Amino acid sequence: MAPNAELRNRKKAALAGDKAANADAAADEATRPRVDSVKNLKGHEVVIENTIYDLTDFKHPGGDSVLLFGGNDVTVQYKMIHPYHTTKHLEKMRAVGKINDGDVQRDYVFDTPFEREIKREVFKIVRRGREFGTWGYFARAFTYIGIMAALQYLWVTVGPSWTLALFLGMSQASIGLNVQHDANHGAASKKPWVNDLLGFGADFIGGSKWLWMEQHWTHHAYTNHASKDPDSFSAEPMMAFNDYPLDHPNRKLWHRAQGFLFPPLLSFYW
């Protein structure tokens, strides 16, 4: 045997053993259930009821707008927009881990008797399969769009006037409160491209479809929450929509007259 051959063989064996150990450790790491924090979520991941889901290959029936909420715990938003929720819905997405129990914050308790009663009463009015826009909705939507297009044409060809500005503002409000609102809730049609097309009515009147969805969906998830509903504090300090204590610093002197200030200030909304 060559000099030091036995030593070299021992080193090779030790190196092979280290590689095998590392490979085993990597395999264990790959198969070990992932437990993580919300702040470490990737842009294509969401949390629903403590479970992390990967949306990369998920074909969402409502289109790609669901990716707008990537990187967040969307339990409340999910429950809000899926009144017929069952576990079968979640099985369509790939679960990749769990969230630390200490990282979970609960704002609501779901499936309470009150919630079930509310759903029963709503379902009496909005029947299953009739949640989307009717022919009447689309007739109104295209009427509002046509009126605004005609007014815009007059504004350019005839020239601006106070009367034209008044009617143009009313037509913009009609699109904002009806056309883009329902479409960006995914309620105009089962077809995502229809909702996307009509949803860009927000941009047509000077807003932004994507910013509106971020803010308004959050508003519906935390309606009138003093710190989580952006609509409850976005008008401050001009107006206050929260019932703050009388000595709260967010209360201003002019808020006493905001009932009179509301109409002219609202004209700056869009």
Side-chain angles (χ1 to χ4, degrees):
M1 182 179 292
N4 299 325
E6 184 178 355
L7 180 60
R8 288 198 298 273
N9 289 337
R10 288 180 180 177
K11 288 182 177 180
K12 289 180 180 179
L15 183 60
D18 290 342
K19 289 183 178 179
N22 291 336
D24 290 342
D28 290 342
E29 184 67 26
T31 57
R32 184 182 302 136
R34 173 184 170 191
V35 179
D36 213 332
S37 172
V38 173
K39 65 182 180 181
N40 293 329
L41 292 177
K42 300 180 178 64
H44 54 81
E45 295 177 336
V46 295
V47 170
I48 300 175
E49 296 181 325
N50 300 358
T51 300
I52 305 172
Y53 294 96
D54 188 339
L55 302 178
T56 304
D57 300 317
F58 176 54
K59 301 300 181 183
H60 186 256
D64 293 337
S65 59
V66 67
L67 297 175
L68 189 67
F69 302 95
N72 293 283
D73 186 330
V74 296
T75 301
V76 178
Q77 286 84 349
Y78 170 80
K79 294 280 191 177
M80 172 194 73
I81 211 71
H82 297 88
Y84 298 103
H85 158 75
T86 67
T87 55
K88 296 295 183 183
H89 289 83
L90 299 177
E91 289 174 0
K92 298 176 183 179
M93 298 183 289
R94 185 164 67 92
V96 294
K98 292 284 187 179
I99 288 298
N100 289 318
D101 291 339
D103 196 46
V104 176
Q105 296 181 354
R106 286 285 167 262
D107 296 287
Y108 299 104
V109 177
F110 296 102
D111 199 31
T112 62
F114 175 71
E115 178 188 348
R116 292 194 292 270
E117 180 183 0
I118 289 292
K119 286 184 176 180
R120 283 195 302 269
E121 295 304 314
V122 171
F123 294 159
K124 291 178 182 178
I125 302 171
V126 184
R127 302 289 184 179
R128 186 72 181 266
R130 300 185 62 184
E131 305 95 335
F132 299 97
T134 63
W135 286 108
Y137 164 79
F138 285 103
R140 292 193 302 274
F142 287 107
T143 297
Y144 297 145
I145 294 171
I147 290 174
M148 182 178 170
L151 292 172
Q152 283 283 92
Y153 176 79
L154 292 175
W155 186 275
V156 173
T157 56
V158 178
S161 67
W162 285 106
T163 302
L164 191 55
L166 175 64
F167 284 102
L168 188 59
M170 293 172 63
S171 71
Q172 287 182 326
S174 297
I175 291 177
L177 296 172
N178 297 276
V179 182
Q180 71 88 26
H181 177 277
D182 293 11
N184 283 327
H185 268 298
S189 172
K190 290 183 178 180
K191 299 177 181 179
W193 71 267
V194 175
N195 290 321
D196 283 340
L197 180 63
L198 295 178
F200 280 111
D203 299 76
F204 187 41
I205 59 177
S208 168
K209 165 185 172 66
W210 306 113
L211 292 178
W212 186 93
M213 289 182 67
E214 284 186 340
Q215 175 161 329
H216 196 71
W217 279 41
T218 305
H219 156 71
H220 274 286
Y222 300 101
T223 306
N224 296 334
H225 192 293
S227 61
K228 291 188 176 182
D229 177 5
D231 283 5
S232 73
F233 53 79
S234 60
E236 296 177 2
M238 296 302 295
M239 291 187 289
F241 295 137
N242 288 312
D243 188 17
Y244 295 116
L246 294 178
D247 58 346
H248 196 282
N250 285 7
R251 280 187 177 269
K252 307 299 181 184
L253 180 63
W254 55 85
H255 290 161
R256 298 179 181 180
Q258 70 177 15
F260 300 100
L261 297 173
F262 183 75
L265 288 175
L266 188 62
S267 66
F268 291 97
Y269 180 72
W270 287 108

